[in-house]
Amino acid sequence: MSTLTALARAQAVVAGRAQPVATVRHLHVHDHPMVLIPLAMAGEANAPLAMMIGTDPARPRLLTVDQPRNRADRFRFAAELAEVLVPHVGSFAAETEDVPVDRGKDVRQRYVDAPQLWVPNPAGIDFLRLLGRSTRFLKIDGDHPVPPAVPLLGRWLTFFANSAEVPGSTLLTNAVQALGLHWVTGQSGAEDAQFGVQLAWIEQGAAAAREAENGPVAGPATDPDFDNRVLAPLIERSAPELRQVLHELLLPTWQRMWRTLSLLRTLPAGERVRSRWDADRDAFTAFSQHVAEGGPPQPRRDGAVAAAARLQRLESAAARYAVQRAFDDPLVLAEYRLTGSAFAGIVTLANPDRVDDTGRRPVLRPRIMVHTTEPVRVEPNTNLTSPSRPAQKAKVISVAPAAGGHDVLLELSGGMGRRLVAEPGSVPAVGEPITLTTLSEAYRPGGALPDPAETPWTHGGPPIYEEPTPPPADDTAPLNPDPATALTPEAPLTPDPAPTPDPVFSSDPALAYRPEVIPNTAATSL
Amino acid sequence: MQQNRLDQLRGAGKAKRHNARTIAALTGNPGCNRRAVLDAAGIDKTKLAERVGFPGSFGQSRFALTRGNAFEAMLKADDCALLRTVLSAEAGLGYQDMGADSDDTLGERHTRTATLLASAQAALVDHPLLTLEIAGQTVYLEPDLIAWARPSATPGSTQARIQVVEIKSFAIIDDQAESAKVSAAAVQAAVYVLALRDLLTRLGQDPSLVNHEVVLFCPRDFTLQPTAVVLDVRKQLSTLRRQLSRLASVETLIDALPDGLTFDLALEPADLIDALTEIEPRYAPECLSACELSVYCRNEASGSTAALGRAVRESLGGIPTVTEVLALAEGRQTPTDEQAEAAALLQAALRLRSEALS
């Protein structure tokens, strides 16, 4: 929590209203998003109870499970969801555009648009991930066949859930985090997790937020009191009113979701939002092709190499996302100014035509002097960037105290054209206000990783794919405990989940989709 | 004397029993004197919160309870047949049920548990009852099961052979489970390990016979099929010990309270609120998921930076209230020497915010 954001929270308490922490919108909001509000059955392992879904605010569709503990009913739900979601996703795999790659020597195809899914909160994403896990290995033949769309649904849900882990990706977005990126409330972050309360802080203020605390939940968990008083009796006697009750429970959240989308649309989009959505479309295109070519479902867990590669991509995406937000939004950049990794000042001297001819070839190296009254915590020889000229590097030559602040002498390179005379406007002029930061958008290559088949023994050796046990016919069927799970010095459970199977996300579109692990296609598990 | 004082604090109501879960919650916020005193006196915080007009919702869903009970019953059916298979326990291992859960047989069940453990007979002990001293009070605890195996074939082996078995109904999917649930189960199991070690010490036996690795049983993937994992709870054990020793000071806290103070639920809400202000709380947003009285404390703490969470408070230089934060940021208040650094940062932050939002 930066001091700037913390101060905004303090201001929100005093004002009784949420306060902005962004001046632009940092995420892509689709013109035709699909909203999903999942509801789960308490106690069960991700058993769906209901879902409100749709692309039209006026026409929500409600899917319900009459007996959530009944396996057949749960699969019927999955089949219904697949009928809605799979065609919606497929409708975007149509028109393509050409994207130059390899410095224009080649082109590749990309769908001109991609689907965008919205859920209320991070727990909603976890629900979809597990629903994907429980359906993507199901078989469409054999003892317990499911409709072909069900395993396909599982793979798409897994794709969306995995993409939601990539910082800056908006293929699957949750409202709580999207709002929290732009506004802070006068309550703790833990309390913000309640979607209705958070939105009330933004729309109406503190008093309305207190009222909203007792309002209907945004799922997927239900209120225990609601379970005991309302739901349990209805489920016990398979009451037909169940649908109506669930509809009324979910409708307020449904409306809040669409209000959230409208609210976010009122902010102007940040300059670099488009490029992140381009990367999302790349990922969507790659996965669509993977599915169309009959590629296998995502594995249950990544091997060591795939996990390391995925972690690397997530880390670089996180770093890039942080830089892009700072460059797009002066209020985000202000956080870096407060900690000294950026400063704002005025250009006091400029020598735009300076040429350095000490090397083999003369090169254009203009110098500027910037006067700032903000703390400067940079050493000579550090490379700085200005968000207004991201392609230009500014090397610190000297920092000298002057007139209640500092004079920083900088040598510029790049972004001035190819000639020995700078293009007009490419060198900051005297009197121009300028912000400089140590943040940089420059591409940083990741480390090299071995081929999965050459995974060293320190990391478990090359991955081996085991045949998972077939699913029991029913939860209540006789159990045959697997001797393999016998309690011996087994690996202790790690509470923190390791990176989960990954398909597609890559920092760099050229690297888009490479299936690092090809699991046994016969794998089934439920 | 001490017990009289606690009875007086509680008033006419029946004392609430501690359990592993409340002890775990207690150690979650050990700096809260209010919770320490109320819990020591066995005061029903749920009713107290209702009475002062700030009810919380701490219910458990019937569905979750049903599933949890069904899973436990399934594992324990036929003398723990299924549990043995997963545990790879020897067929000859005895099964001892210490008796049904009931308030009036507590002492008896504890004696039976102690006798059984003292006899060092290999067994699976169901419904055991252990005790633990919490802040000078004896608390009864009921682990799901204790597995006691004979020392292994190697003679003179000092390997710990008593294991706590914890049965939980959250699922482990692809060897992963929700981290919050796993850590809660680990703390709870650590409470049992601590109690077992205390018992062995009292019986004059080696406390290290109790394994610091506990066995956690959960349903696997999306089925009810059980799977077992081993959790090392050494870290939780040392945290618990440290925090329980801090709780020991509750006696001094109670002695410092004014004479005649009581939280008898028959009192008027206004009087109860007066009584509550006598004991210093330490509210943090985390309390909302752990303490029945938290909604009241949150209301009381409104306007403080602590109510916004520890991270926010630290980022604001530890300044206690939001009005003071804004006064310092706007330069309306002269900072003390200690606040000078925080005030300079706040002023810079406010300047940057106003500049970017103008």
Side-chain angles (χ1 to χ4, degrees):
Chain A
M1 176 74 51
S2 75
T3 303
L4 214 64
T5 319
L7 179 68
R9 280 207 189 265
Q11 288 176 322
V13 175
V14 173
R17 285 299 283 257
Q19 299 292 314
V21 287
T23 59
V24 296
R25 173 157 47 80
H26 290 286
L27 46 87
H28 176 73
V29 178
H30 204 283
D31 289 338
H32 304 285
M34 178 174 254
V35 169
L36 299 89
I37 308 169
L39 210 54
M41 171 89 164
E44 302 290 307
N46 215 61
L49 172 65
M51 187 183 286
M52 195 167 263
I53 185 170
T55 51
D56 181 352
R59 289 177 34 229
R61 180 162 173 191
L62 182 71
L63 311 178
T64 59
V65 184
D66 300 337
Q67 292 294 335
R69 274 175 288 207
N70 182 322
R71 209 180 117 101
D73 277 9
R74 296 210 300 255
F75 287 152
R76 201 169 306 129
F77 171 87
E80 277 176 25
L81 178 59
E83 275 170 35
V84 181
L85 194 100
V86 173
H88 174 74
V89 168
S91 70
F92 289 89
E95 201 184 329
T96 59
E97 63 186 11
D98 288 343
V99 185
V101 286
D102 200 12
R103 291 169 187 264
K105 283 183 214 147
D106 207 350
V107 292
R108 72 191 153 78
Q109 303 279 300
R110 173 162 75 192
Y111 290 123
V112 294
D113 203 0
Q116 188 179 47
L117 310 185
W118 281 79
V119 293
N121 45 33
I125 293 180
D126 290 337
F127 179 89
L128 295 186
R129 176 196 319 284
L130 287 177
L131 190 61
R133 164 64 183 79
S134 71
T135 49
R136 72 176 187 263
F137 297 115
L138 292 178
K139 286 196 166 175
I140 54 173
D141 48 19
D143 289 344
H144 306 284
V146 295
V150 171
L152 204 53
L153 168 80
R155 293 161 69 176
W156 275 113
L157 288 178
T158 307
F159 164 77
F160 280 109
N162 282 341
S163 77
E165 282 179 15
V166 180
S169 165
T170 48
L171 287 166
L172 170 59
T173 310
N174 73 82
V176 165
Q177 281 179 345
L179 289 173
L181 204 56
H182 302 93
W183 288 276
V184 292
T185 66
Q187 61 183 359
S188 68
E191 289 156 278
D192 280 350
Q194 243 182 301
F195 173 46
V197 181
Q198 187 198 25
L199 187 62
W201 262 101
I202 298 168
E203 288 184 331
Q204 288 167 285
R210 276 290 136 84
E211 299 259 308
E213 280 189 347
N214 299 318
V217 296
T222 49
D223 176 38
D225 201 40
F226 171 81
D227 279 2
N228 298 343
R229 276 187 312 107
V230 184
L231 207 52
L234 289 177
I235 289 182
E236 259 160 40
R237 57 190 173 85
S238 301
E241 311 89 280
L242 181 66
R243 274 189 73 84
Q244 190 53 36
V245 168
L246 291 172
H247 184 88
E248 279 161 25
L249 180 74
L250 289 173
L251 198 61
T253 305
W254 172 263
Q255 288 157 350
R256 286 188 182 117
M257 289 297 290
W258 293 99
R259 294 213 302 272
T260 298
L261 287 163
S262 313
L263 194 62
L264 288 168
R265 286 193 184 109
T266 59
L267 291 168
E271 203 185 315
R272 288 159 181 82
V273 167
R274 176 51 56 183
S275 74
R276 290 200 294 273
W277 180 245
D278 288 347
D280 277 341
R281 289 192 290 129
D282 274 319
F284 171 71
T285 308
F287 193 74
S288 293
Q289 283 166 1
H290 175 72
V291 170
E293 287 159 11
Q298 299 92 335
R300 299 205 303 159
R301 298 196 72 166
D302 277 346
V305 173
R310 175 170 168 75
L311 191 60
Q312 204 170 59
R313 288 200 298 271
L314 290 178
E315 279 171 356
S316 67
R320 198 173 47 251
Y321 181 47
V323 174
Q324 290 189 340
R325 282 202 301 135
F327 279 21
D328 278 354
D329 187 343
L331 192 49
V332 177
L333 191 62
E335 293 187 5
Y336 295 91
R337 282 163 69 186
L338 194 61
T339 55
S341 45
F343 61 87
I346 300 273
V347 180
T348 51
L349 294 169
N351 181 2
D353 302 324
R354 182 177 170 275
V355 171
D356 182 351
D357 50 13
T358 54
R360 276 195 302 150
R361 283 189 297 139
V363 283
L364 181 63
R365 290 289 179 267
R367 284 190 170 186
I368 57 168
M369 179 81 87
V370 175
H371 179 76
T372 175
T373 51
E374 291 181 11
V376 179
R377 292 193 190 108
V378 290
E379 298 287 316
N381 283 326
T382 314
N383 279 320
L384 304 180
T385 317
S386 170
S388 52
R389 292 179 180 80
Q392 193 169 63
K393 267 198 299 194
K395 190 164 84 173
V396 178
I397 303 298
S398 67
V399 182
H406 289 89
D407 274 341
V408 186
L409 182 63
L410 299 148
E411 186 175 290
L412 308 179
S413 60
M416 295 173 288
R418 292 174 163 262
R419 291 178 301 128
L420 280 181
V421 181
E423 301 267 329
S426 63
V427 174
V430 174
E432 186 182 322
I434 188 170
T435 308
L436 289 151
T437 167
T438 51
L439 300 172
S440 156
E441 280 191 298
Y443 173 70
R444 255 165 285 169
L449 293 166
D451 190 80
E454 275 153 35
T455 310
W457 63 269
T458 48
H459 292 66
I464 300 158
Y465 300 104
E466 66 205 84
E467 188 89 19
T469 46
D474 192 271
D475 287 353
T476 50
L479 293 146
N480 18 330
D482 184 350
T485 56
L487 180 74
T488 27
E490 203 178 343
L493 186 71
T494 35
D496 283 327
T500 34
D502 158 52
V504 165
F505 279 89
S506 143
S507 47
D508 167 327
L511 298 172
Y513 184 55
R514 270 176 210 167
E516 266 116 347
V517 179
I518 305 298
N520 187 335
T521 42
T524 54
S525 171
L526 182 76
Chain B
M1 178 62 204
Q2 177 78 19
Q3 191 55 48
N4 286 342
R5 191 81 174 87
L6 291 177
D7 287 341
Q8 189 196 355
L9 280 172
R10 189 177 64 246
K14 194 159 164 273
K16 288 272 272 188
R17 267 203 280 153
H18 257 301
N19 56 41
R21 218 181 270 212
T22 60
I23 293 169
L26 202 54
T27 56
N29 187 0
C32 182
N33 291 347
R34 184 175 285 170
R35 174 156 198 167
V37 170
L38 294 179
D39 279 350
I43 290 162
D44 189 333
K45 295 200 294 299
T46 315
K47 290 218 179 91
L48 181 61
E50 272 168 27
R51 193 88 178 105
V52 297
F54 290 92
S57 62
F58 278 88
Q60 216 184 343
S61 166
R62 249 160 82 174
F63 303 126
L65 280 175
T66 315
R67 176 160 151 118
N69 292 341
F71 184 63
E72 186 170 343
M74 184 187 80
L75 278 169
K76 286 185 176 175
D78 302 326
D79 289 356
C80 300
L82 185 56
L83 196 123
R84 275 164 207 264
T85 338
V86 183
L87 263 176
S88 326
E90 297 148 50
L93 198 60
Y95 168 76
Q96 306 270 341
D97 192 344
M98 294 294 104
D101 180 19
S102 163
D103 271 9
D104 36 295
T105 58
L106 291 178
E108 204 186 317
R109 275 166 66 204
H110 177 60
T111 320
R112 266 187 284 162
T113 310
T115 319
L116 186 75
L117 289 177
S119 70
Q121 270 175 354
L124 292 171
V125 187
D126 196 0
H127 295 117
L129 200 71
L130 305 170
T131 60
L132 193 64
E133 296 288 310
I134 304 283
Q137 294 230 295
T138 305
V139 171
Y140 288 101
L141 298 168
E142 298 166 274
D144 288 330
L145 198 84
I146 301 169
W148 169 289
R150 238 176 267 284
S152 54
T154 35
S157 157
T158 52
Q159 204 194 345
R161 295 303 292 166
I162 302 183
Q163 252 183 333
V164 170
V165 177
E166 189 61 25
I167 301 173
K168 292 282 172 203
S169 64
F170 59 82
I172 297 179
I173 297 166
D174 294 343
D175 302 329
Q176 295 180 6
E178 241 177 85
S179 57
K181 286 180 175 163
V182 176
S183 45
V187 176
Q188 213 176 316
V191 174
Y192 299 139
V193 172
L194 200 62
L196 263 176
R197 288 192 171 169
D198 274 8
L199 176 63
L200 288 198
T201 315
R202 267 181 281 136
L203 294 171
Q205 294 192 18
D206 181 8
S208 64
L209 269 175
V210 184
N211 203 331
H212 58 252
E213 287 187 334
V214 300
V215 185
L216 176 66
F217 273 86
C218 290
R220 197 181 62 179
D221 294 346
F222 302 95
T223 64
L224 261 186
Q225 208 170 332
T227 181
V229 286
V230 174
L231 293 179
D232 185 334
V233 298
R234 268 178 291 188
K235 205 175 135 206
Q236 285 82 356
L237 273 173
S238 60
T239 318
L240 264 177
R241 267 198 219 100
R242 191 176 63 244
Q243 295 183 338
L244 288 180
S245 68
R246 283 172 65 177
L247 277 180
S249 56
V250 72
E251 210 159 316
T252 358
L253 284 179
I254 290 171
D255 286 342
L257 294 177
D259 276 334
L261 186 73
T262 176
F263 294 92
D264 196 314
L265 293 171
L267 285 180
E268 286 303 311
D271 295 334
L272 283 174
I273 289 174
D274 282 346
L276 279 170
T277 49
E278 294 288 344
I279 326 174
E280 197 194 338
R282 181 178 290 179
Y283 171 77
E286 293 79 44
C287 293
L288 289 171
S289 59
C291 180
E292 296 86 341
L293 205 59
S294 54
V295 185
Y296 168 76
C297 297
R298 180 181 70 170
N299 184 60
E300 189 185 45
S302 62
S304 74
T305 50
L308 298 176
R310 206 181 335 151
V312 176
R313 187 194 168 104
E314 277 167 16
S315 301
L316 294 172
I319 312 282
T321 68
V322 289
T323 43
E324 209 176 345
V325 165
L326 292 189
L328 288 170
E330 289 162 13
R332 286 185 280 115
Q333 183 178 329
T334 324
T336 63
D337 286 351
E338 281 173 9
Q339 291 171 335
E341 202 183 327
L345 188 65
L346 288 172
Q347 284 173 12
L350 185 66
R351 181 178 58 78
L352 288 170
R353 253 188 85 73
S354 322
E355 184 191 309
L357 285 169
S358 62

